[in-house]
Amino acid sequence: MDVLAFGVQADEKPLLERAFAGRHGLRCLDVFLTEDTAPLAAGHEAVSTSVNADLGAGVLRVLAAGGTRMIAQRSTGFNNIDLDVARGLGLTVARVSYYSPYSVAEFAWTLAMAVNRRVVRAAHRTRDFDFRLDGLLGRDMRGRTVGVLGTGKIGEAFTRIGHGFGMRLLGWDLVENPACRELGMAYVGKEELLAASDLVSLHVPLTPETRHLLDGDALASMKDDAILVNSSRGGLVDTEALVAQLRAGRFAGVGLDVYEAEAGLFHLDKSLVGVDDDTLARLMTFPNVLVTSHQAYYTAEAVGQIVEATLRNVTDYAEGRRSENVLVPAGRPA
């Protein structure tokens, strides 16, 4: 079966090509799937997409009209896909339901420690041979309180690291994780967690219910010197409200690997053209904010697992099987 993969990163391409060799025809594109690029998929029964692809109603209709029948998303999240429209068009949609939770959890801690210990500012100074310590004072994590919003696989991995630091553990989730309980985590309401935590890290999926989980009121309830980390989905945080809090001088540090309007920006080179997103531009002017380009998942282990799962999803579709990765089952036309 011929597969067209959109939004393929340079490091990812050889892994995909090796995995698909001899199994399915594969063409890799570095452009992301949008309404403008969707016609490129004409004649390909399956397409593979990245997390920032546009799989809204318009794009899905273009894909279906061009002969696409299967979409294999190379991510766990699928908030970018209109599943109802896909179902109505008879498209099969699959995702990657699991990859290394340690990749994201470890990177979340990387962001937390980088803003806590002012690593980026220090590195910029020393490149200019400025070796002063002024403004670089951080804090010990041991003995402080970490609040984990979402204690699934990634949240649990993040919690284990916090336990290793010797921190007090607070959790919030619809379903408690026994493994986190065993580590000493106390489950509390969101309001109590935000008010008590020195570090807050987000590990919940983006749904209509969790959109702007941290809105203006929630952000205002946090400690003035708290650290906030989001390595899950940008829409969990009301960015305009976050900017307002930062302008008021709040938060010791903010580490963001995701941004609610990242589609069309993240994973692309905008260095020569700039961006017209005033909110993002303002956010990145704050010295206590560190923004990275949705790279928390980007380890050899995690990407390898994503590639293998994507291959299995395509092969299952081609051979008429269904797995737990299938979000919309339609079946291959006879």
Side-chain angles (χ1 to χ4, degrees), residues 33-44:
L33 178 59
T34 65
E35 288 200 32
D36 292 332
T37 61
L40 296 173
H44 293 83

Side-chain angles (χ1 to χ4, degrees), residues 44-325:
H44 293 83
E45 186 173 351
V47 300
S48 179
T49 57
S50 61
V51 68
N52 281 331
D54 176 0
L55 285 161
V59 170
L60 291 174
R61 292 190 180 102
V62 172
L63 292 178
T68 296
R69 294 293 176 263
M70 192 270 175
I71 297 167
Q73 175 127 308
R74 302 189 308 280
S75 72
T76 298
F78 53 90
N79 53 281
N80 61 318
I81 308 173
D82 191 325
L83 298 180
D84 291 334
V85 171
R87 187 175 292 107
L89 291 169
L91 296 169
T92 295
V93 181
R95 62 162 177 165
V96 177
S97 59
Y98 176 87
Y99 59 83
S100 169
Y102 309 106
S103 60
V104 180
E106 291 171 4
F107 193 82
W109 274 107
T110 299
L111 291 175
M113 296 307 295
V115 296
N116 176 40
R117 301 305 301 269
R118 315 291 192 261
V119 172
V120 175
R121 184 185 300 179
H124 286 165
R125 281 188 185 178
T126 55
R127 281 183 179 274
D128 293 331
F129 302 104
D130 179 351
F131 301 107
R132 293 172 300 161
L133 296 180
D134 297 347
L136 303 183
L137 188 67
R139 299 178 296 183
D140 288 0
M141 285 295 179
R142 181 174 178 82
R144 295 191 180 274
T145 300
V146 57
V148 186
L149 292 166
T151 57
K153 293 182 178 67
I154 296 173
E156 178 187 331
F158 183 89
T159 299
R160 290 187 181 280
I161 298 171
H163 179 263
F165 274 118
M167 303 184 74
R168 176 189 176 214
L169 308 172
L170 297 181
W172 175 86
D173 208 326
L174 296 178
V175 179
E176 296 184 6
N177 186 333
C180 292
R181 278 284 194 187
E182 291 179 5
L183 292 169
M185 173 173 279
Y187 279 87
V188 297
K190 185 183 77 169
E191 294 76 12
E192 181 178 346
L193 182 149
L194 294 176
S197 297
D198 300 294
L199 165 63
V200 172
S201 190
L202 292 161
H203 300 286
V204 300
L206 179 61
T207 67
E209 293 73 28
T210 62
R211 180 166 183 80
H212 287 180
L213 182 68
L214 295 192
D215 57 12
D217 290 340
L219 292 166
S221 72
M222 294 172 61
K223 292 183 176 182
D224 287 342
D225 60 353
I227 293 171
L228 171 63
V229 172
N230 186 10
S231 58
S232 184
R233 289 291 181 268
L236 298 173
V237 178
D238 182 338
T239 313
E240 294 281 358
L242 177 59
V243 168
Q245 293 291 315
L246 289 164
R247 290 183 64 182
R250 303 191 67 239
F251 302 135
V254 175
L256 303 175
D257 186 51
V258 288
Y259 172 60
E260 59 182 324
E262 69 182 56
L265 293 174
F266 282 18
H267 301 174
L268 297 172
D269 182 3
K270 297 289 185 179
S271 60
L272 297 180
V273 297
V275 299
D276 57 5
D277 187 322
D278 292 339
T279 302
L280 179 62
R282 182 69 179 97
L283 186 66
M284 295 177 69
T285 64
F286 294 100
N288 57 333
V289 174
L290 174 58
V291 177
T292 52
S293 185
H294 205 145
Q295 70 179 81
Y297 77 98
Y298 208 52
T299 66
E301 292 79 7
V303 173
Q305 292 165 352
I306 290 169
V307 167
E308 289 300 322
T310 301
L311 173 61
R312 287 196 303 272
N313 289 341
V314 171
T315 302
D316 284 347
Y317 166 80
E319 298 179 359
R321 294 189 298 269
R322 186 184 303 176
S323 74
E324 70 282 358
N325 288 342

